[in-house]
Amino acid sequence: MYPPSTFAFYYTDSHTMTTRLRILTTLMVAGLSTHVAAVTIMPSPPQLDNKSYLLMDYESGQVLASSNPDERIPPASLTKMMTSLIVEQKLMAGELQEDEPVRVSEHAWCRGSSKESCMYIPLNGTASMLDMLRGIIIQSGNDASKAVAEHIAGNEGAFADMMNTEAKRLGMNNTNFLNSTGLPMENHYSSARDMAILARTIIRDSAKYYPIYSEKEFTFNNIKQGNRNALLFSDPSVDGLKTGYTEAAGYCMTTSSKRGAMRLISVIMGAPSVNARAQQSRELLNWGFSHFETVTLRPAAQPLATTPIWFGQSKTVSIGLAEGLVVTLPRGQAEKVQTQFSVQPNLEAPIQQGQVIGRLIASLDGQPVAERPLVALQAIEQASLFSRLLDRIKMFFAKLINQSA
């Protein structure tokens, strides 16, 4: 946020869902005021027996509840969410083809052991890239994960480097991948927060392939296997994402559920049993949907106000948000939200469309719930030399008046 002394204009309004928001404009060079209201009391989230958990609103990205969300924990097969994301992104970019054959090397081959999840592709056999993706997501196939890693990067270690590069780009700050499967390796870890970030990215950026995460079974090589996400079979609002288990990790689960217009993402890591991870996910989601709602406070690209500009072909520029302002609020609190925004003083042309020229803050009960940059909604070119000279004279006298006031 800009220092208060750098702002010339301060705007505040009370949000309602039924009437257009009113904008009050006051010239100020002071800090933001504080909206005082009664504090909203929220019931505590459920007490869960696990190593770590997190509940996030998909639209706003707000964390609604968590316990040890940044603790570095072996993620088991939740790792495969990053493997599948990379495959999905390369498919959508045209770098891979759905019918492209992928060979299973001896390193990738599953030997029929009951100790690991497999798609059961024969040694030196092939499957299409799309079938491999289903094998990774639905069957949690270690063989499919290793095969696509080798196909894309040459070897699994190089693919892990790609995974870590993508994790860093997404802001997964407590993640380090050493393989494509989640099989135990020292220094292979992630966190509940990072897994929620990854899940949100898959839902948003891999929409074409996201329906695979809700498929309940997949048959390959005449072997039918069911999806290990038990909530897919008992809760119609659940449409993904992934489960995982190793002795070191415990029972893990990343779940997405959409009820009406609201979508929540839950992450459970280190639960004591298969049933516990499903029940804990259910409890956490039910708590979130019962007590919160997702609200769009401001749409994108809507003019919020105009602010003066010097030396431009236009004397004012419209300001708004580049992206819609979506927040997650306790149910029934939307009308109490206050939005405040401040704009830099003495703006001078040229101004580029999309240029950041201020900040908007939304608060509830005096506490900030979201902050977004304000941008110029149109470009403003410089005026003629004569007009700029006139503005320079006006600016000089304006400063004199302000100094003497």
Side-chain angles (χ1 to χ4, degrees):
M1 185 166 57
Y2 297 105
S5 61
T6 67
F7 289 102
F9 296 96
Y10 168 81
Y11 305 82
T12 180
D13 67 79
S14 178
H15 174 77
T16 69
M17 300 302 293
T18 57
T19 61
R20 187 170 181 176
L21 300 177
R22 300 187 301 272
I23 300 177
L24 306 177
T25 307
T26 307
L27 186 65
M28 296 181 66
V29 191
L32 297 175
S33 68
T34 301
H35 171 65
V36 180
V39 175
T40 302
I41 300 175
M42 287 295 300
S44 298
Q47 298 296 309
L48 304 177
D49 178 18
N50 56 45
K51 296 178 182 177
S52 175
Y53 76 79
L54 182 139
L55 181 67
M56 175 186 286
D57 185 302
Y58 165 74
E59 290 291 343
S60 68
Q62 287 177 231
V63 175
L64 309 184
S66 66
S67 174
N68 303 320
D70 298 311
E71 183 175 346
R72 294 177 174 182
I73 297 172
S77 285
L78 299 189
T79 299
K80 295 185 176 87
M81 291 164 55
M82 180 60 82
T83 303
S84 59
L85 173 65
I86 290 174
V87 172
E88 292 154 5
Q89 294 303 299
K90 288 186 174 297
L91 283 169
M92 290 191 295
E95 298 175 28
L96 298 173
Q97 302 301 316
E98 291 184 357
D99 59 357
E100 186 173 330
V102 182
R103 175 181 168 273
V104 173
S105 68
E106 187 170 0
H107 171 72
W109 179 43
C110 263
R111 291 161 174 80
S113 170
S114 61
K115 295 182 180 180
E116 62 176 318
S117 302
C118 300
M119 185 175 166
Y120 297 113
I121 314 155
L123 175 63
N124 295 320
T126 63
S128 71
M129 185 61 72
L130 187 57
D131 279 349
M132 286 289 191
L133 184 60
R134 283 192 161 88
I136 294 167
I137 296 170
I138 303 169
Q139 299 175 335
S140 198
N142 292 332
D143 47 358
S145 299
K146 294 176 184 177
V148 300
E150 293 176 342
H151 185 84
I152 291 172
N155 61 71
E156 195 174 8
F159 187 79
D161 290 339
M162 295 175 62
M163 298 169 73
N164 288 323
T165 297
E166 182 66 6
K168 183 176 181 180
R169 185 185 73 83
L170 296 177
M172 297 171 62
N173 297 322
N174 288 291
T175 293
N176 187 59
F177 295 122
L178 296 177
N179 60 52
S180 62
T181 62
L183 288 170
M185 291 183 72
E186 186 178 357
N187 211 37
H188 181 103
Y189 56 80
S190 189
S191 69
R193 189 189 307 276
D194 286 1
M195 283 294 137
I197 291 171
L198 178 55
R200 190 176 183 226
T201 302
I202 290 171
I203 298 166
R204 183 188 65 225
D205 296 346
S206 295
K208 178 178 179 181
Y209 296 102
Y210 182 65
I212 295 175
Y213 292 82
S214 66
E215 294 181 13
K216 296 178 180 178
E217 62 183 34
F218 177 55
T219 300
F220 183 83
N221 197 21
N222 294 319
I223 301 173
K224 182 169 71 173
Q225 298 186 64
N227 196 313
R228 292 164 175 79
N229 185 345
L231 294 186
L232 291 174
F233 300 87
S234 61
D235 185 344
S237 74
V238 171
D239 57 12
L241 292 154
K242 191 76 187 68
T243 62
Y245 169 77
T246 64
E247 186 175 348
Y251 292 87
C252 305
M253 191 170 183
T254 301
T255 307
S256 174
S257 174
K258 186 175 183 182
R259 302 181 189 178
M262 188 176 191
R263 179 185 289 278
L264 296 180
I265 295 168
S266 68
V267 181
I268 302 292
M269 301 187 76
S273 69
V274 170
N275 289 337
R277 73 183 177 190
Q279 181 58 30
Q280 290 178 18
S281 299
R282 185 182 294 111
E283 288 182 31
L284 199 55
L285 290 166
N286 286 342
W287 177 83
F289 282 116
S290 296
H291 298 297
F292 293 91
E293 61 181 328
T294 307
V295 179
T296 300
L297 295 179
R298 295 286 195 177
Q302 180 189 69
L304 302 182
T306 59
T307 191
I309 183 171
W310 295 100
F311 314 127
Q313 293 181 4
S314 171
K315 297 303 180 184
T316 61
V317 61
S318 296
I319 56 176
L321 298 169
E323 299 179 358
L325 176 58
V326 180
V327 297
T328 312
L329 301 170
R331 288 194 171 276
Q333 300 299 303
E335 294 189 358
K336 298 180 181 179
V337 173
Q338 299 287 314
T339 55
Q340 306 165 340
F341 56 97
S342 301
V343 181
Q344 298 173 53
N346 299 323
L347 290 168
E348 299 182 8
I351 297 289
Q352 303 299 316
Q353 184 176 4
Q355 180 176 329
V356 175
I357 56 177
R359 303 293 294 180
L360 181 146
I361 299 173
S363 60
L364 176 66
D365 297 338
Q367 299 299 316
V369 295
E371 184 175 343
R372 298 289 187 275
L374 286 169
V375 300
L377 296 182
Q378 72 267 18
I380 305 295
E381 300 295 332
Q382 278 192 335
S384 65
L385 178 60
F386 179 73
S387 295
R388 298 202 305 273
L389 287 173
L390 287 178
D391 272 0
R392 185 68 65 185
I393 295 170
K394 293 176 183 177
M395 180 182 283
F396 173 78
F397 282 106
K399 288 181 179 179
L400 287 178
I401 293 172
N402 288 335
Q403 290 173 358
S404 61

